[in-house]
Amino acid sequence: MKRIGIILVILHAALLVHAQQGLPIDKLFQGQVIPQERMMETKVRGKMVAKYQLSYFHSLRFFATPSEAHLIMTLIDMGDPHKESKQEKSVMSTNTTETRMIRLEPQGKQNRYLCAKMNKKNSKRVEMVVIYMEGALSSLEKMKEILK
C-alpha cells in the first residue's frame, strides 16, 4: 500500500513539472534564471482554483535586477515559439508597472495562460510576479477579471 502512495506522489510531481515544460519560461520555473532561494513559489490544483475555471496555478514572486527582468520578459514574450500563430497577447503599462498576458495554444482540452507583472522599485531592483495557469477559462478578458 505504501508503494502505491509513493508512486502516486511521484507521478503527481512529474505532472506538475510537465505543465510549463517546453516553454522558454520553463528556465525561470526551474531556477535557471533566478535562484530558487530568491523566489516565493506557489502551486495550486483542485478546489481552490476550480472556482476560477482553472485546474492548475503556478506562480513565482521575486525581486530581480533590471537585466534579469529584461531576460524574463523576453522569455515571456516568446510564449510557445512552436505555436506562435494561435497566441493571444495583451500588454498594459504605466511609468513603473508593466503587465503582459499571453493565451497559449491549448494543450489537449486545457487552455494555457502565461502572465507577468513587473514593478520597477528603483534603478537596481524590480519586483516581479510570473504566473502559469491551465484550465477551462476561455479568454484573456476573463483572465484579466480574475487577476484584478
Side-chain angles (χ1 to χ4, degrees):
M1 192 65 158
K2 281 185 178 181
R3 265 191 242 167
I4 293 173
I6 292 171
I7 291 170
L8 288 175
V9 169
I10 292 170
L11 183 60
H12 181 70
L15 289 173
L16 290 178
V17 170
H18 178 71
Q20 57 277 338
Q21 250 183 1
L23 300 176
I25 198 65
D26 189 38
K27 291 177 183 176
L28 176 66
F29 283 92
Q30 291 180 0
Q32 295 175 2
V33 178
I34 304 290
Q36 292 284 348
E37 57 270 4
R38 284 180 42 204
M39 298 188 285
M40 180 171 42
E41 183 174 29
T42 305
K43 295 179 187 180
V44 184
R45 282 194 183 274
K47 290 181 183 179
M48 295 292 291
V49 292
K51 62 184 174 184
Y52 303 110
Q53 299 178 351
L54 296 173
S55 58
Y56 180 60
F57 175 92
H58 189 179
S59 73
L60 299 172
R61 179 182 292 266
F62 53 89
F63 286 96
T65 65
S67 61
E68 290 169 335
H70 178 73
L71 172 60
I72 292 164
M73 291 309 244
T74 300
L75 294 172
I76 294 286
D77 285 340
M78 292 171 77
D80 187 345
H82 305 292
K83 300 177 181 181
E84 182 94 18
S85 61
K86 301 257 181 164
Q87 297 177 151
E88 183 183 343
K89 296 182 181 184
S90 172
V91 178
M92 298 168 277
S93 60
T94 65
N95 289 340
T96 59
T97 305
E98 186 172 329
T99 304
R100 296 182 191 189
M101 298 181 185
I102 300 173
R103 180 178 180 203
L104 303 164
E105 186 170 311
Q107 194 170 48
K109 293 183 179 182
Q110 296 291 315
N111 291 317
R112 303 179 308 150
Y113 298 90
L114 189 55
C115 305
K117 184 173 184 178
M118 178 172 68
N119 186 3
K120 298 172 190 166
K121 293 291 186 184
N122 57 46
S123 63
K124 296 180 182 180
R125 198 168 128 160
V126 180
E127 181 180 19
M128 296 192 76
V129 177
V130 177
I131 305 170
Y132 172 85
M133 294 168 275
E134 292 179 353
L137 191 66
S138 59
S139 72
L140 271 183
E141 292 305 314
K142 289 182 181 180
M143 180 62 61
K144 287 178 190 176
E145 290 174 23
I146 288 172
L147 293 177
K148 283 186 181 178

